[in-house]
Amino acid sequence: MTMTIDLLIAALVLVAVQLRMTAALMPEKARIVLAVVVFAWCMLPYPWGPAAWVLSYLASFSVASGLLAVLAIKHRIVGYYWLPVNQLRGACVLLVVLALWFYPASMGSTYLDPYSLGYGNFTLSTTLLLLGLFAWVLKAYASCIILVAAQLAFRLDLLASDNLWDYLIDPWLVCWAAGWLIRDRLLQSRANKDGGQSVTGADDDAGQSDAAR
């Protein structure tokens, strides 16, 4: 069961990547057909499916990666993003800030090992839920959903890992979030220099309203 969920998330991530590279070249129906074919191929067990190979070399993706992959797939197929770009921006900032503290500390830069807190620590779970509640109050729904979904999946033991951190973040997700923020910032700077384009225009350039971009 746990391996199936890991395989499912890896398949969703691969479909999102495939659509990112090919959406601009195809109409909507072709994008849907190719996405279904790629997903079915990715769900094949080792050694036939590419998702199983990805898991064997890169380890599992987090629940957060799976949620963002679903949003990306929907965006690339129908051209509509479920969450406004400012909420996605907030979720990316949260992930990068969390990673900047988590990874150095886990590798020994401090006496605190945050990774060990992921084995069912009550204080960590409570803190993350409070952060989710705070994000909801601020209307940062993407951040709230990621935090709550990771906690629920951890309680249900859905992934192969038994550590909460592996449900919340992974190195590939952090790299994507950092890259997205850099691109978003560059597009906003370009829009400001052009003068006649608003921040909303920059958001459109970022691909939030057109699946082909």
Side-chain angles (χ1 to χ4, degrees), residues 29-201:
K29 289 185 178 178
R31 290 198 294 266
I32 294 174
V33 171
L34 183 58
V36 172
V37 170
V38 171
F39 178 77
W41 179 36
C42 289
M43 287 299 292
L44 294 176
Y46 186 87
W48 297 285
W53 282 92
V54 169
L55 290 177
S56 66
Y57 283 102
L58 304 182
S60 299
F61 293 97
S62 62
V63 171
S65 287
L67 292 174
L68 291 174
V70 171
L71 293 179
I73 291 170
K74 182 177 181 182
H75 169 223
R76 295 298 171 188
I77 289 179
V78 302
Y80 171 73
Y81 219 93
W82 178 57
L83 290 171
V85 69
N86 63 329
Q87 292 183 27
L88 180 59
R89 188 179 294 133
C92 289
V93 170
L94 175 66
L95 287 168
V96 171
V97 170
L98 189 62
L100 288 175
W101 166 75
F102 173 73
Y103 286 115
S106 297
M107 290 186 288
S109 64
T110 67
Y111 290 108
L112 174 66
D113 180 12
Y115 191 77
S116 64
L117 300 177
Y119 295 106
N121 183 275
F122 177 78
T123 302
L124 176 63
S125 297
T126 304
T127 301
L128 292 176
L129 286 176
L130 289 175
L131 282 175
L133 180 61
F134 184 65
W136 183 270
V137 171
L138 295 178
K139 298 183 179 179
Y141 300 120
S143 299
C144 177
I145 291 173
I146 288 173
L147 289 169
V148 173
Q151 292 263 31
L152 289 176
F154 175 67
R155 293 304 173 192
L156 295 174
D157 198 23
L158 293 183
L159 300 184
S161 173
D162 58 354
N163 192 295
L164 175 59
W165 290 111
D166 293 325
Y167 287 71
L168 193 63
I169 61 175
D170 61 74
W172 302 105
L173 175 65
V174 174
C175 290
W176 173 83
W180 189 94
L181 288 173
I182 292 172
R183 182 172 181 267
D184 178 59
R185 183 59 185 167
L186 291 174
L187 289 171
Q188 288 187 73
S189 298
R190 189 178 69 183
N192 291 334
K193 288 180 180 178
D194 291 342
Q197 207 173 3
S198 66
V199 174
T200 300

